[in-house]
Amino acid sequence: MKIVIVANGQWIMEGLDRNDDRRIKNVEELKEYINKVGFLPFFKGEVEGFSLEEMTARDAWWSGDPVEDPWEWRGIIAEKSDIAYGKLFCNRAGFISKEWFPIFAAYRRDGYDFDSRYEDGLASIRQKKIIDVLSKYDRVASYELKKLAGFNKGGEKNFEGTLTSLQMQTYVLIRSFRRKKNKKNQEYGWAVADYTLSENIYGGDYVRSAYHLSAQEAKDIIINHLLKLFPDAKPKEAEKLIK
């Protein structure tokens, strides 16, 4: 995530001028673009020009206006569309369309549902504790998930890293955002993420529908697609982006 901090303390993202016709102007245009290309990192990465950050007006960020602030769009998409959102690219945020999600699942999971991955010793007990909690609920706020899975004080360590790894493996996604409420039922603080199992969004059969592909075959499909979109990108850059 590249942020330039100017003299007055304002955060400025890399991006386009408002008069640039190429820029994505609203959440509907963003959904249309994601469904067209298949997937999109949130922040600038290895492939030049392929991120929400680089496709939006640099001065539209952090305003809190859901009409034009890309930071607000992530919550709208997560909750009101079938586009997957979470830490899906290099442990950083991004989007994957419903059409492309099974291919990413085939690549990232290598044919393993979580239970079989755990039984074969390829998943940690920390990951299992998170999955066990999410298996009981439709969605769980991050602070509640941390407590229920035993990552509170004196318990398991590295909650954020463990949760990120499960998102990268496509088992867990962000479903919505909400702010905490005090005893008077008043919202306060930053919005926190609600997490869910990807199967809760798409259904198990759909998520597993590309399991006939090996991890390498699925990876090659994704990389070749990305290189068609950005022919000037190097294969190593494309491979690093989707890891």
Side-chain angles (χ1 to χ4, degrees):
M1 176 176 177
K2 297 185 68 175
I3 297 176
V4 178
I5 302 177
V6 296
N8 63 1
Q10 184 182 5
W11 288 5
I12 303 296
M13 305 293 287
E14 295 190 18
L16 302 172
D17 293 328
R18 282 185 176 271
N19 60 0
D20 194 317
D21 292 335
R22 298 173 299 169
R23 75 179 178 91
I24 294 173
K25 303 177 184 65
N26 54 59
V27 70
E28 293 303 322
E29 289 185 0
L30 174 58
K31 288 191 288 187
E32 181 179 352
Y33 182 78
I34 295 167
N35 284 319
K36 177 182 177 181
V37 302
F39 49 94
L40 181 69
F42 203 86
F43 299 112
K44 182 177 180 180
E46 286 69 25
V47 176
E48 187 74 24
F50 188 53
S51 71
L52 179 61
E53 176 182 357
E54 295 164 278
M55 295 179 176
T56 50
R58 63 176 64 92
D59 63 350
W61 291 78
W62 321 118
S63 69
D65 180 358
V67 174
E68 68 170 16
D69 185 350
W71 187 246
E72 300 296 324
W73 298 347
R74 75 202 201 287
I76 297 171
I77 286 181
E79 187 164 17
K80 297 183 179 180
S81 75
D82 54 13
I83 295 171
Y85 175 73
K87 292 186 177 179
L88 299 168
F89 298 95
C90 300
N91 296 331
R92 298 188 296 179
F95 306 95
I96 300 175
S97 72
K98 180 179 180 179
E99 178 183 358
W100 276 83
F101 193 81
I103 300 174
F104 272 85
Y107 165 41
R108 300 278 180 75
R109 296 184 181 189
D110 195 16
Y112 283 97
D113 289 337
F114 183 81
D115 288 344
S116 58
R117 180 180 291 275
Y118 181 73
E119 289 171 2
D120 283 0
L122 300 175
S124 69
I125 187 62
R126 293 174 180 173
Q127 290 178 318
K128 186 176 188 304
K129 288 183 176 182
I130 290 175
I131 293 293
D132 285 347
V133 172
L134 292 176
S135 297
K136 299 176 183 178
Y137 304 96
D138 178 62
R139 65 184 76 185
V140 184
S142 58
Y143 60 91
E144 294 172 338
L145 179 58
K146 184 176 183 178
K147 181 180 179 180
L148 291 170
F151 285 81
N152 48 327
K153 188 175 181 179
E156 298 287 354
K157 307 297 183 183
N158 194 26
F159 173 70
E160 292 296 338
T162 305
L163 189 55
T164 294
S165 69
L166 290 168
Q167 292 173 78
M168 286 295 298
Q169 292 169 345
T170 71
Y171 295 116
V172 174
L173 295 171
I174 293 174
R175 194 60 178 126
S176 55
F177 289 87
R178 55 174 155 155
R179 296 169 66 194
K180 292 182 180 180
K181 292 184 178 181
N182 60 24
K183 294 180 180 179
K184 296 182 180 180
N185 204 36
Q186 298 170 326
E187 293 183 338
Y188 69 95
W190 291 95
V192 297
D194 288 321
Y195 291 90
T196 190
L197 299 179
S198 58
E199 281 81 356
N200 289 342
I201 299 176
Y202 300 122
D205 288 344
Y206 185 79
V207 171
R208 296 188 292 270
S209 61
Y211 270 23
H212 61 279
L213 298 171
S214 69
Q216 186 61 52
E217 288 171 334
K219 178 181 178 182
D220 289 343
I221 290 171
I222 297 168
I223 289 177
N224 290 336
H225 177 69
L226 183 52
L227 292 176
K228 286 181 181 179
L229 292 173
F230 292 87
D232 292 335
K234 297 179 175 60
K236 287 186 177 180
E237 294 172 338
E239 181 176 9
K240 186 175 181 180
L241 179 70
I242 67 167
K243 279 187 175 179

